[in-house]
Amino acid sequence: MAEPNIAEAERRIREAVEAGNTKLYLRRLDLTEVPASLAALKNLDYLDLSGNNLTSIPEWLSKLESLRTLVVSDNWLSSLPDSLGELPLSILNANYNRFKTMPRVVPKFGGLAVLMLEYNQLSEQLPNAIGQLGNLVVLNLAGNQLTELPDEVGLIQDLTQLNLAGNRLTDLPDSLCQIQKLDTLDLRGNPFIGELAEVVRRGTPAVIEFLRGRATAQIRQWRAKLMLVGEGGVGKTNLLRRLKGESFIANNEPTHNLEIRQLGIAHPSEAGVTIDLRAWDFGGQFFMHATHQFFYSGKSVFLMVWNARDNFEQSKLPHWLDRIQALAPDSPVLLVATHGERFKPNIPLQEIKARYPNVRELRIVDTADPPRGVDQLRSAILDLALGLDHVGQRRPASWAKASEIIRTHPDPYLETPKFLQLLERAGVPNPADYAEQLNMVGEITFFPRNPIYNPSQPELEDVVILKPDWLLQKISLVLESEQVKNARGSFNSEHQRQVWKDLSRGIQEYLLRLMEHFDLAYRTETHPVRGIVVELCPEDRPARALEEWEASQQQQVQFTGLEFRFETTIPPGLPTWFIARCHRLTAPDYHWRRGAVLHDRERRHIALIQSDLDSRKVFLTVRGPLPYNFFALLRDCFEGTLERFAGLARRVDRVIPCNGTPKCPGFRIEALEAMLQRRITEIPCQECLTRHSIAQLLMGVHPYGDQEIMKQLHAIDHKLDAHHEETIEYLQREFFRLFKRDQSLAEFHCPPVFTLEVERLPDILPTILEGMWRDLSETPLPMNLTLYCNQPGEWHPVKTYRIQPPAKLLARLAPVARKLAPVISAAKELIPSAELIGRGSRAGLEGMKEFLKQADWTDKVSPILERLGEHPEAIEAGGLGLHYLRDLLTQTAPEEVGCWGGLLKTVTPQFHVLWLCEEHRVGYLLR
């Protein structure tokens, strides 16, 4: 710890006394206590003590009766003195401290309007008297360790902003719904449980509505999903019959597709309470396994049922456990061995538990007369069900009433307007939000949003499936159709009429769209073929595709590649879903069940993606003159497909191949990163001994490799050619990957590409850098904000807004500006003549000229923004600052929320989140 600079502090205090100053800055002087000489500044209204080593605030500070603003950020305070409440503060900014406690009784805080306590160590519940802060407008508690909030928070009626991000909250007090002015509620990074965890994802209005419904009338509902999975013929149906107390049926017909039945188990300690389990009995047919993605979720208990006479491999336990781990990694699993009276199970149970942490125990049963082990299994199921975070949680009473109506409804599906009306009649105030909640817990099947990035999917919003088993049965008719199989997966209009002959044309189209949405099929333009069912593609590689790929090896072109090496077997559907997503880049006679050969739109590059026979590796390689852009497109698509399997992300290694010999092991990306950080620039292959430049290995695969791409391009003659176009498109596409997480949160949706033309910036910068940031942070800055269409390779302006935000906005947008700067700079360097810029409309070309012109501004301002970012309030909530941009756009153009400048959020088939103008958006819809 540095020595305190007491002398400098005393000098500044003397100057303030002599000049009669009302503001005093004592930041970053390593002070361990507040100088007593401060007491002489009776007229002081602003005191900045941030960035010191203070452990307490002295009692005498309350005697500074004029003090309105106290900044004690980035210190080591462990408590606040009771006397602090005697200060008539208008702002108390104590962010970035390490508070250990707060007083249990909050004194009178006078006119306190803003209370900033983020990034401390608050772990106890806030004092109830916090409700006395009636004039509080902003309360920031982000980055602490709070586990609950007192109900009295709801008494702060003037509160407009409440930041609770990064705490340990599992629930919220219902009283928050009483705060009429609350419009910003940041709840990111908290381990909320039950329905609230899902409601939080949908933003502040949904949270307030949920709390309001719960506060009006609430009920504890005891419901969960019970999933019975395993190979066909192992006895799942008879097991479920025994669990329900029913008789055993010898030679029972195998379950076809899915049957859903109710199983009630009495609560072990609460009288009159029954745990209502909805038991899903899946058929074991292999061709249906890929459809399980519709229904697996982390809100379930799984029974992995197998025959005790089979050993570990024969039972296919690894494949089923891999599947559960991939799709529902947080769901508890019971291994259930049937026929346990005649055969003793022989499996490596301890190794299984080590490999699959969600496996709880092994239960042995015999369902034939007399049944054995069934009661013990029922108790084990009950224990796991009670451990699910949503079981027994408080819910609005109207939600419980609505779910009963849905369960007893006679129709298998309803049109969405009729379904929402049904919820409204049940008293549900927010039917759309509740519909998504019902889908999560398995009461209905509803796909209004993409399961990964959460954008609206209008084509799937028309229908709500009330009986999921009915849906699976209708999908299975396509996968079982001999005519479709004989047509190598081609699904034409005649097939559609035959397999769904009892359904209306509208519901037929819905089912086809649903299959496309989940990549079980893709649509073609060739009449009369409606689609290609990828699950029915041939197993063997087409000779023509293989010949073309092998021919590319003979050409003198560059290549880039990546191997995905999985700890577990790849779930059914992974390769074929990728193929469906990228079908525009291939053709039916160029893909098979385990892979595809693909081309970019100009056919300058060729790619191969393929999984191995063991289903533990996927290889992705692109060849061509500049393969990085096409590779990035395919890589993002495959990574997006992986995200459907929540448990795979942490169980896969990404390896860059050596390409020396087939035996070369390749290089793990994490190892290459570590070597670069240690300034190691080359690495030898252990097999072929070839030495590789690490930067070149990472080209197109990792951000570290982007600099090497730029070096190679600068060596090329600077004229506009395909290389430059490919590189600009690649860099712009990579830019959007940075905002993927923010764009998945409802309250942070906004276009990320923008420029700012700041008129008054040069006049105020010197003052800011001399330490007057606090004074100038609220100074209005007249500027122009221009939004750009995000089409990779063709960014162009769509609308300019005249705004006057406070100066601190520059610091808060600094992270976004820093990420934009190299993309703009690269475009400016690679295309010296703006007259020659890429493809697009004339308006787009003119816009790019302005864009490049403003790049000079960005280059100059970036270093300044770096320094501004040191200020505590610059990046209060972390992230890249999109929420600040959204707030600014909402204030500037509230009538354009969600479509600023005519830009609409669009998810491409490759899972990129782009804000596009109408012209470019239509192009994706047509694809």
Side-chain angles (χ1 to χ4, degrees), residues 14 55 84 97 100 166 187 245 251 357 453 459 543 546 553 563 612 644 703 712 731 824 854 861 890 893 914:
R14 286 196 303 272
T55 58
L84 191 64
N97 286 293
K100 302 298 181 184
L187 299 170
N251 301 318
Y453 294 112
E459 68 275 16
L546 189 60
Q553 290 182 289
E563 294 180 9
D612 65 354
R644 288 185 171 175
Q712 291 196 11
L731 292 173
I824 301 171
Q854 294 193 31
V861 171
T890 301
L914 307 177

Side-chain angles (χ1 to χ4, degrees), residues 148 161 230 232 243 253 255 380 409 413 417 426 455 501 521 525 534 541 546 554 579 595 782 814 818 822 847 879 889:
E148 58 180 318
Q161 298 180 39
L243 288 170
E253 287 291 326
T255 300
H409 200 282
Y413 63 89
K501 58 186 176 184
E525 291 78 26
V534 289
R541 299 179 297 181
L546 189 60
Q554 311 305 319
I579 293 168
R818 285 198 296 269
L889 288 171

Side-chain angles (χ1 to χ4, degrees), residues 535-552:
E535 286 298 317
L536 300 180
C537 288
E539 291 283 355
D540 201 10
R541 299 179 297 181
R544 181 182 174 188
L546 189 60
E547 289 172 3
E548 187 167 340
W549 173 253
E550 291 177 346
S552 70

